[in-house]
Amino acid sequence: AGQSYELLNVENVPAYIAGRPALARLVDPARITRVREVGDGNMNLVFAVEAEDGPGVVLKQSMPYVRVDPDWPITPDRNRIEATVLAAHGAAAPGLVPALYDVDETRHVVALENLSDHQVWRGRLNEGLRDEGVAGDLGRYVARVGFGTSVFGLGAEAHKAGLAASVNPELCEITEDLVFTEPYIEHEHNRILPANEPDVAAYAGDPGVRTAIGLAKLAFMTHAEALIHGDLHTGSVLVRAEGPGVARSTRAFDVEFAFYGPVGFDIGALWGNYVLAAARGFALGDEEHAAWALGLATRTWEAFEAEFTALWPERADPRVYGDGVLAAYLAKVHADAAAFGAAKAARRVIGFSRVTDIETLPEERRVKAIRGVLHAARHLLTRPADRPEPLFDRVGALLSAAA
Ligand code: SR1
Ligand code: MG
């Protein structure tokens, strides 16, 4: 794809910082000690900048294409969208996203808080580490954003303005295709191990699954409830573990897929990734870790429900939105999350963009883990009305049986 602006690299980052007054005040270009390319996502370039004194900075630059596939054009304006959303999420959920320092709409760079003392949660889960409190922090994050950017939190006028300012059609189309369409059709993006072909055929060919996925896609495309994260998997979460003299810190990052969508999509993204983490645990014979990972679904849900309920008295129009509406809305988010969680787990074992939880397993174990994930996804799609405990008890039984 054509590109009319200079990309960052480890050599030109100091000069870039020198040319941005807001950054040069934060990091003296002459005192930079190290620049590392640390991006491990599919989309962007990410550089961590360390300085002799001070906390440094992270620079994230969007190209006009997908990082892992330069033949796939995509708007670099995703970078500006990310900055706008980060500011809104930072206001709604202080301390749960990285701080935003600078936005460069010409070279499509955002400057963010350097969180090098944090690690990506997916990696920690893969190592079998159990960070207590993170799932609850994320439930609170989704609740604060889900309330604070909604009609409930903003009132009618500001909600409409927020919605109009946050349309993100190209990134939404990626999700519509990769999560809700491609895994259910023959597509060149799909990669299926021969031993899993019958599993995928049974899952994607199930009429109940197909109807539930179709309805989930419709909800994703039309339910403009709040300015959701839009890609809240465990690789979009940074964690600093609690230790002597160190407080736990949880930050949701990478909000470029954000748009006004259904709040259950963010809860579901977490649930789907807990299922993947649990499938890995069962495949490796670590039932204890698998059970812990599945228990995170309840931790996230309970924290979400408690925080949203605590915010409810602040709602804009209590004349109409009474407590019956709260109960019914929470039930809707829960049911949505089950379907979205299934879609998010299944896409990672059928389609484009895989996850290390599954991909780093030896092939024989991977086949079983994928089978378990598809059984679990089918259950989540066809029994969405259950509460988390029984729903995820059954999910655990299905994952364990497949392993
Ligand atoms: C082009 S790859 C896009 C995927 O990576 C992101 O993390 C999202 O999950 C998206 O579906
Ligand atoms: Mg990402």
Side-chain angles (χ1 to χ4, degrees), residues 41-43 66 68 72 174-175 178-179 230-231 233 236 254 256-257 344 347-348 352-353:
N42 294 313
M43 306 290 286
V66 168
V68 295
W72 187 339
I174 289 182
T175 304
L178 269 57
V179 175
D231 196 24
H233 54 82
S236 294
D254 246 2
E256 66 202 326
F257 283 83
K344 295 284 271 181
R347 60 79 60 112
R348 296 293 191 190
F352 193 81
S353 186

Side-chain angles (χ1 to χ4, degrees), residues 117-118 239-250:
D117 57 346
H118 292 54
V239 173
R240 186 182 63 205
E242 201 170 339
V246 182
R248 179 185 78 242
S249 169
T250 304

Side-chain angles (χ1 to χ4, degrees), residues 58-80:
V58 162
L59 302 178
K60 178 172 178 180
Q61 184 175 40
S62 299
M63 304 83 96
Y65 50 81
V66 168
R67 185 176 75 96
V68 295
D69 183 356
D71 291 330
W72 187 339
I74 180 86
T75 176
D77 193 43
R78 62 187 186 272
N79 196 265
R80 179 195 59 79

